[in-house]
């Protein structure tokens, strides 16, 4: 536990940075807590930006993680700025305005930045990305005037934008299926059908060669030579971890800031959490893993606060994810990687089904569409030791809820 003279500086006021600061107070940390973020106002949540906020159902107030008086009550200092340099020898950070802050512990919660589309015309007006509240505001304004909308990228953000655009759009995905990085082929196929039924055009296995226009985008040229009319192009081709600060400070970086099981870097005073952190994931056999999810951001924020407060507990939370698109809620528990067997349960035609994925006979992930009780059961199953096998679940008819009950009764 730190003393009243101890200072924790959190660089980054997104979901993970906010959670670290708030959890320090929950853990009774008595020292100074400084939360540095480069956007004005209180920290806010990002998932609604591509959904309820984009459509105007939720306003800025609904985005706030906590009201302004929360930070005063918890004695969390909010500093609007950006950490530009880490002085590890002097245990200080320098902000972009030239001011500095000393620290006893530094938490890097720098998040990620959108990948740029490396083609001619990517800087034309009307070519937009979605990461911040300002991005969502610009997109909403542009969407109200646009006639032809092209979404470049078939991941969560691109598909959520398409689902909430309120009009037919064209989705261009370079991979041979949607959600290729995060979902099984069965789920990919279902969401492709869902978007097509909603009136969207889905183009798979097709890249973008260039964007054309004078000052504003007018068309999107595909790698097969076709040109799509577009006065709004939304680029959603993934993100890159924001690691420049750590690199400049001499910390190890490899697809994120490398940390140990307690989210520490090689410098015992410095931690990294959230989208920017590459950590040994228990659910992936302790393989180095970087996750982009609210769950991971929140749980790592809590974990790092506990470690700073003196609880040397490793990070072992179960990864889970969700997305809402065109009336379909997809929830994923576990990490889908190198599955060699899948089982589909439920009623796909009715839009209520789950896909169970196995590797070497062991359950590794459960994807559920409009089946929240199955998702909750899956999350409970993943805490069981040993993890359920194919034979175990086959004996229960692949009914996860029934299997959880059988474990509880045992």
């Amino acid at each position: 536990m730190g003393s009243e003279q101890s200072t924790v500086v959190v660089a980054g006021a997104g979901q993970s940075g906010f959670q670290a600061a708030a959890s320090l107070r929950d853990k009774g940390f008595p020292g100074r807590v400084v939360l540095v973020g480069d956007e004005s106002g209180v920290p806010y949540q990002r998932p609604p930006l591509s959904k309820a906020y984009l459509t105007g159902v939720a306003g800025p107030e609904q985005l706030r993680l906590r009201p302004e008086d929360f930070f005063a009550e918890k004695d969390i200092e909010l500093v609007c700025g950006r950490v530009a340099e880490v002085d590890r020898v002097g245990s200080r950070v320098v902000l972009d305005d030239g001011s500095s802050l000393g620290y006893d512990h530094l938490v890097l919660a720098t998040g990620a930045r959108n990948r740029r589309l490396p083609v001619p015309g990517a800087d034309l007006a009307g070519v937009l990305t979605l990461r911040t509240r300002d991005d969502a505001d610009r997109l909403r304004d542009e969407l109200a005037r646009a006639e032809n909308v092209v979404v470049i990228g078939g991941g969560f953000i691109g598909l959520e934008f398409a689902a909430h655009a309120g009009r037919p759009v064209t989705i261009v995905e370079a991979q041979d299926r949607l959600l290729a990085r995060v979902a099984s082929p069965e789920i990919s196929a279902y969401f492709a059908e869902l978007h097509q039924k909603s009136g969207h055009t889905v183009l798979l296995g097709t890249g973008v060669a260039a964007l054309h226009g004078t000052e504003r985008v007018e068309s999107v040229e595909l790698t097969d030579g076709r040109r799509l009319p577009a006065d709004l192009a939304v680029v959603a081709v993934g993100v890159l971890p924001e690691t420049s600060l750590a690199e400049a400070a001499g910390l190890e970086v490899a697809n994120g800031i490398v940390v140990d099981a307690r989210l520490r870097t090689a410098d015992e005073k410095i931690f990294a959490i959230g989208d920017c952190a590459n950590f040994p994931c228990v659910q992936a056999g302790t393989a180095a893993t970087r996750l982009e999810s609210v769950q991971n951001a929140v749980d790592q924020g809590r974990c790092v606060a506990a470690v700073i407060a003196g609880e040397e507990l490793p990070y072992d939370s179960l990864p889970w994810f969700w997305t809402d698109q065109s009336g379909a809620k997809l929830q994923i528990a576990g990490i889908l990687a190198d599955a060699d067997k899948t089982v589909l349960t439920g009623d796909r035609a009715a839009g209520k089904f789950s896909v169970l994925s196995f590797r070497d006979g062991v359950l590794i992930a459960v994807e559920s569409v409009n089946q929240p009780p199955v998702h909750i059961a899956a999350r409970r199953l993943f805490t069981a030791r040993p993890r359920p096998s194919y034979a175990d679940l086959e004996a229960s008819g692949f009914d996860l809820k029934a299997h959880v009950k059988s474990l509880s009764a045992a």
Side-chain angles (χ1 to χ4, degrees):
M1 174 70 71
S3 70
E4 292 184 7
Q5 286 74 43
S6 296
T7 297
V8 177
V9 174
V10 182
Q15 186 84 56
S16 62
F18 160 77
Q19 191 63 56
S23 293
L24 280 166
R25 292 308 188 211
D26 291 342
K27 290 292 182 180
F29 179 77
R32 186 184 182 194
V33 177
V34 186
L35 182 58
V36 183
D38 59 5
E39 294 183 73
S40 60
V42 300
Y44 63 90
Q45 53 183 323
R46 297 187 191 276
L49 295 179
S50 57
K51 298 183 276 291
Y53 186 78
L54 181 70
T55 61
V57 172
E61 301 78 17
Q62 284 74 46
L63 291 183
R64 297 184 302 178
L65 287 164
R66 294 291 188 279
E68 192 169 355
D69 57 7
F70 169 88
F71 299 90
E73 291 171 1
K74 296 293 186 179
D75 194 20
I76 297 171
E77 300 175 42
L78 287 178
V79 175
C80 184
R82 183 178 61 85
V83 175
E85 180 184 344
V86 177
D87 173 9
R88 290 170 56 190
V89 175
S91 297
R92 301 189 69 79
V93 296
V94 180
L95 305 188
D96 53 0
D97 64 0
S99 62
S100 65
L101 294 163
Y103 65 81
D104 295 282
H105 300 284
L106 171 63
V107 180
L108 299 176
T110 47
R113 65 187 185 279
N114 287 328
R115 287 180 182 271
R116 285 183 52 80
L117 193 64
V119 301
D123 57 352
L124 287 168
V127 180
L128 302 179
T129 59
L130 178 55
R131 183 74 182 170
T132 68
R133 183 175 52 207
D134 288 345
D135 292 338
D137 289 338
R138 281 191 291 270
L139 265 176
R140 188 193 299 142
D141 292 342
E142 293 277 1
L143 192 56
R145 297 189 293 268
E147 293 185 6
N148 297 298
V149 181
V150 175
V151 177
I152 303 170
F156 281 159
I157 297 299
L159 296 183
E160 287 173 358
F161 171 83
H164 294 86
R167 69 183 66 191
V169 306
T170 299
I171 302 165
V172 179
E173 170 53 54
Q175 300 291 324
D176 61 1
R177 60 188 179 93
L178 300 178
L179 301 172
R181 192 169 64 89
V182 296
S184 65
E186 293 89 344
I187 292 294
S188 294
Y190 178 80
F191 276 87
E193 295 168 14
L194 186 71
H195 281 276
Q196 288 165 338
K197 289 176 182 177
S198 298
H200 304 317
T201 300
V202 179
L203 304 178
L204 301 175
T206 306
V208 172
L211 297 106
H212 297 281
T214 49
E215 294 182 356
R216 183 180 182 84
V217 66
E218 297 171 8
S219 67
V220 175
E221 180 183 348
L222 305 181
T223 50
D224 62 10
R226 283 180 291 174
R227 285 204 184 190
L228 307 174
D231 50 2
L232 174 59
V234 181
V235 179
V237 292
V239 301
L240 294 170
E242 194 58 79
T243 60
S244 57
L245 193 62
E247 289 180 65
L251 298 172
E252 184 181 359
V253 169
N255 184 32
I257 304 168
V258 176
V259 295
D260 65 14
R262 289 166 179 77
L263 308 176
R264 276 194 185 93
T265 67
D267 185 326
E268 65 177 13
K269 292 184 176 182
I270 303 179
F271 302 78
I273 58 175
D275 291 6
C276 70
N278 188 343
F279 68 100
C281 179
V282 171
Q283 303 297 329
T286 69
T289 303
R290 189 178 65 81
L291 296 176
E292 301 157 15
S293 74
V294 171
Q295 166 275 319
N296 185 65
V298 170
D299 287 349
Q300 288 194 343
R302 290 172 175 157
C303 178
V304 81
V307 172
I308 291 173
E311 302 175 19
E312 287 289 328
L313 300 174
Y315 179 70
D316 61 358
S317 295
L318 170 72
W320 52 271
F321 315 83
W322 81 90
T323 181
D324 291 306
Q325 300 172 33
S326 302
K329 186 178 189 68
L330 170 64
Q331 295 170 291
I332 304 172
I335 295 182
L336 189 67
D338 302 320
D340 52 33
K341 186 186 292 289
T342 59
V343 174
L344 192 150
T345 66
D347 189 342
R348 188 186 189 281
K352 292 185 177 182
F353 68 100
S354 295
V355 177
L356 284 57
S357 292
F358 299 83
R359 184 176 62 240
D360 298 329
V362 177
L363 184 69
I364 59 170
V366 176
E367 304 158 285
S368 300
V369 175
N370 294 328
Q371 287 193 313
V374 174
H375 174 69
I376 296 301
R379 284 165 57 179
R380 291 186 62 185
L381 279 182
F382 277 114
T383 64
R385 295 290 182 271
R387 191 179 294 183
S389 69
Y390 181 89
D392 294 333
L393 294 175
E394 185 179 37
S396 299
F398 298 104
D399 185 331
L400 300 193
K401 292 182 290 181
H403 193 72
V404 167
K405 289 180 180 178
S406 69
L407 293 177
S408 301

